[in-house]
Amino acid sequence: HEHLLSLWRSHCASVADRFIERGEEVTESGLLVEALGDLHAELMEGFSNWRERFCEEEATGFEDRALGALPPLAGLRWETIEENVCFGTDEDAEDLSTQLAEIAVYLLVWGEAGNVRFMP
């Protein structure tokens, strides 16, 4: 999880620089939410495009889930970030939770896929 925090921190610095260049006030809430959104867009763009094309094919038997709909996890459930933590509304908290969950799962799968090269 250190890599995720490091990436998020790095994106926060980039967003802060962007806010300062535009002459906007840098707030913690805006910084965290915008940085996570940027990180999500950067990491998930290719996967999102693939998922849309994959789900369009009827032969796959998969339907594209709605944006913000969290996938089932074998009886587990996602915990939404509380709105007071993300400095926004319930909808912001749900979007932030979804983005954070998707990034975490993506990085976990990507990291484990890198271990395949060491298999016999």
Side-chain angles (χ1 to χ4, degrees), residues 24-73:
E24 295 177 19
E25 182 182 355
V26 180
T27 62
E28 185 178 2
S29 61
L31 196 61
L32 293 174
V33 172
E34 180 122 357
L36 189 64
D38 287 358
L39 180 60
H40 183 268
E42 185 177 315
L43 288 176
M44 303 302 291
E45 180 183 14
F47 173 73
S48 296
N49 291 337
W50 172 84
R51 182 176 63 190
E52 285 176 21
R53 287 193 313 273
F54 182 76
C55 292
E56 286 174 359
E57 297 294 324
E58 289 181 31
T60 61
F62 288 96
E63 294 179 16
D64 197 12
R65 65 181 165 88
L67 183 62
L70 297 171
L73 292 172

Side-chain angles (χ1 to χ4, degrees), residues 4 7-8 36-49 51-52 64-73 78-79 81 93-111:
L4 173 58
L7 278 171
W8 198 355
L36 189 64
D38 287 358
L39 180 60
H40 183 268
E42 185 177 315
L43 288 176
M44 303 302 291
E45 180 183 14
F47 173 73
S48 296
N49 291 337
R51 182 176 63 190
E52 285 176 21
D64 197 12
R65 65 181 165 88
L67 183 62
L70 297 171
L73 292 172
W78 296 101
E79 291 290 332
I81 295 173
E94 191 170 322
D95 289 346
L96 193 65
S97 297
T98 301
Q99 290 177 345
L100 194 55
E102 287 182 349
I103 291 170
V105 170
Y106 176 82
L107 291 175
L108 286 169
V109 170
W110 182 73

Side-chain angles (χ1 to χ4, degrees), residues 68-88:
L70 297 171
L73 292 172
L76 300 175
R77 63 185 176 97
W78 296 101
E79 291 290 332
T80 303
I81 295 173
E82 297 175 15
E83 65 183 76
N84 62 346
V85 173
C86 76
F87 312 102

